[in-house]
């Protein structure tokens, strides 16, 4: 096995697909023409990497990655090495987690970046040597990461979590808890890539205070779901979320019941998109997997569509579910071909998410009810991690 990957940490609480990391590292060895060589990757915590950093680099602080070439200073062709060993890459998972939050990456993406970075150091690249060496290393890094993603055809599907249901419980009592702001922070710490909230006209769950506070506290990406309502549009323009998702809203419904009918409201929806455009807020349209609606969304200048997965999730028979799945798969393909970016959500749970996450056209899943419901029994952190494991597993199935 060219990549020997070991961990000194308990990885249960980190959302990382180790097989994929190993696969990425093997691919890198091949791409860099050193597939006959072995490389050791060791995952450690901050204190362990700090001790190594102090001992070998005289720097008494944790760092993200350390590379120890088997034969430091060997000629770059590696021809005279007595054994086919490239060396060791040590990665601190704690530093990687902090950085993934800081840079808005998934933990897996950060870990992949660190493997690429560490591998290039083993191959003689060194960004600390000079400005020129830095440029060469970073451009190689970019090239390899680009190829890795191309090789895989897509980036990993991301998981955005809707915390409306936490606010629903709070509102049932009309008191201060549980707080969706706290819930959002826990979701992010557990590895979510974004937080979704729906500010409804009737304020049945999320309140204005939540929206403003969450704008201050969300570290990943804030997706504000909303109807095309004048007052809510004004709040969105004021709050400046990272994106908005336009949904149909009826007062009597329990939850959003279907996709937005863009075709019959071109003027109204077009106006909202224009307003958001002026503030550089990307718009997503929550749409049924219906090509007419997707074309209309594209015509109006939406950046994303979020495909409504509700009918697929509610299907009562396997045949019906397969038919609904096919509609989503085809619609996602068509949307991407039109130049739209595609998200999906509604009704996804621990049983039905994996096939949707396997669709290489879908960037992000928006999931709320299933995760919050499960969290009642296992805790929110665990509920998020279990869903992330499903999404990560799906990505590995694509390789
Ligand atoms: N996407 C949209 C547009 C929604 O309105 C909702 C429900 O608030 C979701 C996703 C999440 O659905 P669920 O709570 O069933 O996971």
């Amino acid at each position: 096995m060219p990549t020997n990957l070991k961990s000194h940490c308990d990885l249960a609480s980190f959302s990382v697909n180790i097989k994929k990391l190993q696969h990425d590292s093997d691919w890198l060895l091949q791409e860099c023409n050193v597939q006959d060589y072995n490389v050791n990757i060791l995952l450690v915590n901050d204190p362990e990497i700090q001790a190594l950093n102090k001992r070998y680099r005289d720097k008494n602080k944790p760092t993200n990655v350390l590379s120890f070439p088997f034969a430091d200073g060997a000629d770059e062709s590696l021809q005279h090495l007595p054994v086919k060993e490239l060396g060791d890459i040590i990665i601190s998972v704690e530093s990687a987690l902090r950085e993934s939050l800081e840079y808005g990456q998934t933990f897996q993406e950060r870990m992949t970046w660190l493997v690429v970075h560490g591998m290039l150091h083993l191959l003689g690249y060194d960004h600390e040597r000079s400005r020129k060496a830095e440029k060469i290393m970073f451009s190689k890094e970019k090239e390899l990461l680009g190829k890795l993603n191309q090789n895989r055809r897509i980036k990993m599907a991301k998981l955005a979590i809707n915390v409306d249901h936490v606010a629903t419980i709070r509102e049932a009592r009309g008191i201060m808890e549980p707080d969706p702001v706290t819930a959002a922070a826990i979701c992010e710490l557990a590895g979510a890539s974004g937080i979704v909230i729906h500010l409804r006209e009737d304020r049945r769950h999320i309140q204005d205070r939540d929206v403003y506070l969450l704008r201050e506290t969300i570290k990943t990406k804030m997706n504000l779901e909303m109807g095309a309502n004048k007052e809510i549009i004004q709040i969105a323009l004021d709050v400046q979320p990272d994106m908005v998702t336009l949904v149909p809203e009826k007062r009597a419904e329990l939850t959003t019941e279907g996709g937005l009918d863009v075709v019959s409201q071109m003027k109204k929806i077009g106006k909202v998109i224009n307003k958001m455009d002026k503030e550089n807020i990307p718009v997503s349209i929550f749409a049924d997997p219906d090509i007419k609606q997707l074309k209309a969304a594209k015509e109006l200048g939406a950046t994303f569509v979020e495909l409504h997965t509700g009918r697929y999730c509610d299907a009562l028979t396997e045949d019906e579910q397969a038919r609904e799945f096919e509609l989503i798969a085809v619609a996602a393909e068509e949307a991407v071909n039109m130049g739209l970016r595609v998200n999906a959500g509604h009704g996804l749970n621990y049983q039905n998410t994996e096939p949707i996450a396997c669709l290489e056209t879908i960037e992000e899943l928006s999931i709320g009810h299933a995760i919050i419901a499960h969290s009642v029994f296992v805790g929110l952190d665990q509920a998020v991690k279990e869903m992330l494991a499903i999404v990560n597993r799906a990505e590995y199935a694509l390789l």
Side-chain angles (χ1 to χ4, degrees):
M1 170 85 68
T3 301
N4 173 25
L5 199 154
K6 290 207 171 104
S7 178
H8 285 176
C9 316
D10 177 7
L11 294 175
S13 58
F14 291 91
S15 160
V16 60
N17 183 331
I18 289 296
K19 269 189 179 168
K20 192 173 90 53
L21 213 57
Q22 185 145 12
H23 181 279
D24 287 350
S25 172
D26 287 345
W27 178 88
L28 282 168
L29 292 170
Q30 195 135 22
E31 183 65 19
C32 297
N33 287 322
V34 284
Q35 61 273 28
D36 303 342
Y37 289 76
N38 293 318
V39 65
N40 299 308
I41 299 179
L42 179 63
L43 309 183
V44 300
N45 58 17
D46 273 349
E48 189 168 352
I49 207 159
Q50 177 166 355
L52 290 167
N53 208 14
K54 180 166 186 290
R55 182 160 167 201
Y56 293 102
R57 298 175 73 228
D58 206 21
K59 293 188 179 174
N60 192 14
K61 57 180 183 186
T63 184
N64 49 10
V65 57
L66 289 173
S67 292
F68 298 104
F70 179 74
D72 212 358
D75 79 280
E76 276 175 22
S77 69
L78 302 169
Q79 267 176 8
H80 303 297
L81 284 187
V83 285
K84 296 219 162 214
E85 294 288 343
L86 276 190
D88 303 328
I89 300 172
I90 321 288
I91 296 174
S92 163
V93 288
E94 289 170 349
S95 293
L97 181 62
R98 270 197 310 278
E99 291 176 351
S100 68
L101 292 173
E102 191 179 329
Y103 299 127
Q105 293 176 312
T106 62
F107 182 62
Q108 186 86 30
E109 282 168 346
R110 194 69 198 154
M111 291 294 285
T112 304
W113 183 84
L114 290 169
V115 168
V116 172
H117 191 84
M119 186 79 80
L120 285 179
H121 273 303
L122 290 187
L123 293 169
Y125 290 80
D126 187 359
H127 56 96
E128 288 180 345
R129 204 181 296 140
S130 65
R131 287 300 296 270
K132 189 171 166 211
E134 179 186 85
K135 237 175 141 179
I136 292 174
M137 180 164 175
F138 288 168
S139 104
K140 186 70 185 171
E141 211 165 76
K142 209 169 149 197
E143 176 200 319
L144 289 173
L145 284 165
K147 280 192 182 165
L148 249 178
N149 286 332
Q150 209 177 44
N151 188 39
R152 220 180 283 134
R153 292 178 297 162
I154 57 147
K155 280 190 170 173
M156 179 183 318
K158 293 187 172 166
L159 175 62
I161 300 183
N162 183 317
V163 294
D164 293 351
H165 296 289
V166 176
T168 302
I169 300 171
R170 176 190 61 190
E171 295 306 310
R173 271 290 169 102
I175 52 172
M176 295 300 287
E177 59 188 19
D179 192 337
V181 178
T182 313
I186 294 171
C187 291
E188 287 188 318
L189 287 170
S193 299
I195 300 296
V196 188
I197 45 169
H198 184 174
L199 184 66
R200 282 182 166 266
E201 220 180 305
D202 62 11
R203 307 296 198 277
R204 69 172 71 159
H205 38 55
I206 292 294
Q207 306 297 312
D208 297 30
R209 163 263 188 207
D210 303 327
V211 180
Y212 283 92
L213 266 182
L214 282 165
R215 175 65 294 185
E216 297 294 319
T217 59
I218 288 175
K219 294 191 173 51
T220 53
K221 207 178 68 188
M222 179 191 205
N223 180 350
L224 180 64
E225 265 181 39
M226 52 184 269
N229 163 282
K230 215 168 158 189
E231 184 209 0
I232 309 284
I233 293 169
Q234 211 42 54
I235 294 176
L237 294 172
D238 188 35
V239 168
Q240 302 260 317
D242 297 294
M243 64 185 285
V244 298
T245 300
L246 296 180
V247 298
E249 206 177 293
K250 296 185 210 124
R251 277 186 186 257
E253 70 191 353
L254 277 178
T255 178
T256 316
E257 279 169 0
L260 187 65
D261 183 359
V262 193
V263 175
S264 69
Q265 318 177 66
M266 294 292 276
K267 208 165 154 197
K268 185 173 171 190
I269 306 298
K271 271 191 186 164
V272 186
I273 295 180
N274 285 343
K275 282 189 178 159
M276 298 299 157
D277 259 359
K278 285 197 184 117
E279 296 293 324
N280 289 323
I281 301 171
V283 176
S284 177
I285 304 272
F286 185 53
D288 289 326
D290 170 345
I291 309 302
K292 283 196 308 295
Q293 299 293 344
L294 306 182
K295 279 190 178 153
K298 177 68 189 163
E299 195 183 320
L300 291 179
T303 307
F304 293 86
V305 282
E306 180 182 325
L307 292 176
H308 183 16
T309 49
R311 278 205 298 272
Y312 156 79
C313 297
D314 294 341
L316 295 175
T317 64
E318 277 186 16
D319 279 356
E320 190 189 341
Q321 193 175 49
R323 273 196 305 278
E324 292 297 337
F325 178 79
E326 198 53 30
L327 286 176
I328 294 167
V330 170
E333 199 74 43
E334 294 262 356
V336 167
N337 291 341
M338 286 177 210
L340 286 161
R341 297 172 67 181
V342 185
N343 297 333
H346 212 287
L348 294 172
N349 63 27
Y350 294 85
Q351 285 74 44
N352 59 27
T353 293
E354 191 167 346
I356 299 289
C358 274
L359 291 173
E360 56 189 288
T361 40
I362 290 180
E363 282 188 37
E364 186 170 88
L365 304 173
S366 170
I367 307 184
H369 184 82
I371 293 174
I372 305 302
H374 193 45
S375 78
V376 171
F377 302 111
V378 302
L380 186 51
D381 177 75
Q382 175 71 16
V384 173
K385 282 174 181 154
E386 285 182 33
M387 188 58 84
L388 273 169
I390 291 171
V391 175
N392 287 349
R393 199 166 65 219
E395 200 227 6
Y396 190 65
L398 284 171
L399 293 170

